[in-house]
Amino acid sequence: MLKLFKKRRIRGGVHAEEHKASTSGQPIAVDFPLPKKLYIPLQQHVGKAAEPVVRVGDRVLKGQLLAHSQGMISAPVHASSSGMIVDINDYPAPHPSALPIRTVVLETDGEDKWLEQPLAGDPFQLDPEEISLLVGAAGIVGLGGAAFPSAVKLNLGRKNRIHTLLINGGECEPYLTCDDRLMQERAVEIIDGIRLMLHGMETGQAIVGIEDNKPAAYQAMRDASLPYPFIKVEQVPTRYPMGWDRQLIRYLTGNEVPAGGRSADVGVIMHNVGTAYSVHKAIRLNQPLINRVVTVAGGAVALPMNVEVPIGTLISELFAFCGVDQDATQRIVMGGPMMGDALPHSNLPIVKASSGILALTRKEIRSTAQQPCIRCAQCVSACPAGLLPLDMANRIRSNQLDAAVDIGLKDCISCGSCSYVCPSNIPLVHYFKYATGELVARQQAQHKSEQTKRLIDDRNARIARIKKQQEEEEEARLAAKAERERLKNEQGTLV
């Protein structure tokens, strides 16, 4: 029987302008033309990059393994179509820096031919651990933006005896509607994926949280879940960042994830609706994660839509399909405008975590000059984590990063709510992102220093060991020489 929870009030957050109407009412476009080349990065997930198992000149089929995972926190990468591997080299990453990362370049043959593999039988007859293995082999990662390998979370759920699987259907970011359309059109498949995930985690119940600005998606998911009383579909208030795991967990279950803790500490694991759909395809159809639904929107887009594209497609080709006015585009954002990444150009590939690509005009970009703080405390009221944004920013400006950590910097999720409501246009979230990056850099420098010190200590110990061994050998040699001299003298005396 599904356990009912008492809902809690929402802490912080903002009512951001939605900008969803242009795409939420249109079916997912599935007629995107197959690109001539696909640029498939080997690092599309949290953890270690995948290691290629193909070479230049190899012919591959759609769904074939291109690179295997390395270690527990990693995910394999598969061919998004059939064709030939023409290069394995560095290519700019879909990141604000556009720094090069190792990428497989696949020249498609136009056939889009699948690798033939036998389908599994009844997946509910499989051992739960096998479900996790199949999900891991399919390269599935969190499609809500985090890109954390999903198999790891399934294993975590099984080992920690999680009591509730929470499915995030909030999609609180402005402009983005890919999850909304997925729930409207493929609700049955998503619910099947949820059932499979429950089996893999050995968990008894699931709750799907959908913001109340998505009535069609809510109704479709509720209808699809009716045969399964252990799956509950709930509406949640439309308020950013409702898709944050701690916010959704607190509202739907009444549990508070402790600072510095994880959702598993309160018996909950959260996945995205897109992840559940990918699990369905992986287990039922033996199809790895090789494409995804992407929202293309913004003032510079003539034909805003949700379109299903192969992973590795260049954003420029997606823009051409949607009629983007490059001259009117002032900023390209991957993800939503609140937490997404501003990209330097459009010749970058779509990856597993690409929920949306926005082509924003000057009018859509907030560029009002920064003013002095008026001490209104709106940033405090808007922070969903209950932090003191201005106090943290002041410490960061003074280069007191440790002091900023002491008052909660590591609990900041960089949602941008504080910056959004600030009447003085202080870029608070920029300070927090800078500080977080600086802390990581310091930790890396400290780690490098410690490694260097350890190597020097090991070298000195090795030299001391060798020196001691040499001294002992020299002492033994001298002792042996002295013994020979003594014996020689004794023999001379006897003669």
Side-chain angles (χ1 to χ4, degrees):
M1 182 177 178
L2 188 67
K3 182 181 177 182
L4 298 178
F5 298 98
K6 182 180 179 181
K7 297 176 184 176
R8 297 284 185 90
R9 69 176 183 86
I10 299 171
R11 174 193 290 156
V14 297
H15 287 289
E17 294 182 42
E18 294 185 2
H19 298 286
K20 294 176 181 282
S22 62
T23 56
S24 62
Q26 299 182 48
I28 296 170
V30 294
D31 57 345
F32 183 78
L34 183 65
K36 292 183 179 179
K37 284 186 178 180
L38 296 168
Y39 297 79
I40 307 172
L42 300 182
Q43 178 74 63
Q44 301 185 47
H45 49 267
V46 172
K48 292 185 178 179
E51 184 66 23
V53 296
V54 293
R55 295 179 296 180
V56 173
D58 287 355
R59 290 197 170 273
V60 297
L61 296 173
K62 186 176 182 179
Q64 185 173 330
L65 183 68
L66 297 181
H68 64 77
S69 57
Q70 293 197 88
M72 186 179 73
I73 311 297
S74 185
V77 175
H78 301 79
S80 305
S81 186
S82 57
M84 178 183 288
I85 306 300
V86 295
D87 199 3
I88 303 175
N89 213 328
D90 288 343
Y91 189 83
H95 182 270
S97 67
L99 290 173
I101 58 173
R102 206 173 184 193
T103 301
V104 173
V105 182
L106 171 59
E107 186 174 78
T108 59
D109 56 16
E111 296 181 12
D112 207 31
K113 186 178 180 181
W114 277 97
L115 174 69
E116 293 185 6
Q117 291 184 325
L119 296 177
D122 181 4
F124 293 100
Q125 298 301 316
L126 296 175
D127 186 84
E129 189 174 355
E130 291 184 65
I131 297 292
S132 297
L133 291 173
L134 291 171
V135 169
I140 298 174
V141 300
L143 299 185
F148 191 84
S150 300
V152 177
K153 291 175 77 172
L154 293 181
N155 287 328
L156 181 67
R158 190 170 55 254
K159 292 174 182 177
N160 287 269
R161 308 308 302 172
I162 298 301
H163 59 69
T164 302
L165 168 62
L166 195 59
I167 300 296
N168 178 14
E171 197 170 43
C172 56
E173 276 270 13
Y175 291 94
L176 302 187
T177 61
C178 54
D179 286 349
D180 183 3
R181 288 307 314 181
L182 200 65
M183 289 186 287
Q184 290 187 50
E185 299 179 34
R186 305 173 190 179
V188 172
E189 292 85 351
I190 294 171
I191 292 297
D192 184 62
I194 294 171
R195 293 173 60 218
L196 292 167
M197 293 164 81
L198 286 172
H199 178 57
M201 293 170 58
E202 295 185 292
T203 299
Q205 65 175 359
I207 303 175
V208 184
I210 304 173
E211 282 192 340
D212 54 19
N213 64 347
K214 303 173 181 62
Y218 170 73
Q219 191 60 51
M221 290 290 289
R222 190 172 182 184
D223 291 345
S225 67
L226 285 177
Y228 313 105
F230 50 87
I231 301 177
K232 188 177 181 65
V233 180
E234 288 275 7
Q235 283 189 311
V236 299
T238 300
R239 189 173 180 86
Y240 176 85
M242 199 66 198
W244 178 37
D245 59 350
R246 298 191 179 202
Q247 188 87 296
L248 204 58
I249 289 168
R250 186 173 187 272
Y251 182 80
L252 288 175
T253 73
N255 293 318
E256 185 90 33
V257 179
R262 302 176 300 178
S263 62
D265 296 335
V266 294
V268 180
I269 289 287
M270 190 167 90
H271 286 273
N272 177 264
V273 290
T275 305
Y277 176 67
S278 297
V279 169
H280 158 80
K281 290 203 297 182
I283 306 299
R284 295 288 191 181
L285 307 177
N286 209 356
Q287 294 181 6
L289 179 54
I290 57 172
N291 56 20
R292 72 154 301 153
V293 179
V294 180
T295 300
V296 184
V301 184
L303 301 170
M305 66 178 76
N306 287 291
V307 54
E308 193 163 15
V309 298
I311 287 170
T313 299
L314 292 182
I315 294 171
S316 57
E317 297 190 53
L318 198 56
F319 277 0
F321 183 73
C322 297
V324 172
D325 184 346
Q326 298 282 5
D327 294 332
T329 302
Q330 293 297 308
R331 182 175 298 169
I332 300 171
V333 176
M334 177 175 283
M338 300 294 283
M339 294 185 71
D341 291 324
L343 303 180
H345 55 79
S346 62
N347 291 319
L348 301 171
I350 294 294
V351 292
K352 295 177 182 180
S354 303
S355 55
I357 301 295
L358 309 181
L360 304 178
T361 62
R362 185 179 300 280
K363 184 179 178 181
E364 294 172 289
I365 299 173
R366 186 178 181 180
S367 57
T368 309
Q370 180 178 334
Q371 302 292 327
C373 174
I374 61 174
R375 301 288 174 179
C376 65
Q378 287 192 46
C379 58
V380 177
S381 300
C383 180
L387 305 177
L388 302 171
L390 184 63
D391 288 352
M392 290 198 302
N394 287 338
R395 284 162 172 77
I396 293 166
R397 273 197 291 255
S398 303
N399 202 31
Q400 300 175 21
L401 299 191
D402 291 336
V405 170
D406 291 341
I407 60 172
L409 176 62
K410 290 188 176 180
D411 290 320
C412 173
I413 61 170
S414 300
C415 67
S417 295
C418 54
S419 297
Y420 185 85
V421 300
C422 179
S424 298
N425 301 304
I426 301 173
L428 295 164
V429 74
H430 291 182
Y431 288 112
F432 308 147
K433 288 184 176 182
Y434 157 76
T436 301
E438 182 65 21
L439 285 171
V440 170
R442 289 185 182 183
Q443 288 172 354
Q444 290 174 340
Q446 182 180 356
H447 179 65
K448 185 177 180 180
S449 176
E450 290 172 353
Q451 278 190 317
T452 302
K453 183 178 182 300
R454 181 176 57 80
L455 290 172
I456 292 173
D457 290 343
D458 289 347
R459 178 178 177 273
N460 291 338
R462 187 169 63 252
I463 291 173
R465 216 168 35 245
I466 293 172
K467 185 177 180 181
K468 183 179 180 181
Q469 184 179 355
Q470 289 174 341
E471 290 175 348
E472 290 175 348
E473 289 174 351
E474 180 65 14
E475 289 176 1
R477 187 183 67 80
L478 293 174
K481 182 180 179 181
E483 181 65 16
R484 287 196 300 271
E485 290 292 334
R486 186 184 66 78
L487 292 173
K488 182 177 180 182
N489 291 335
E490 287 181 355
Q491 291 174 353
T493 301
L494 292 173
V495 171

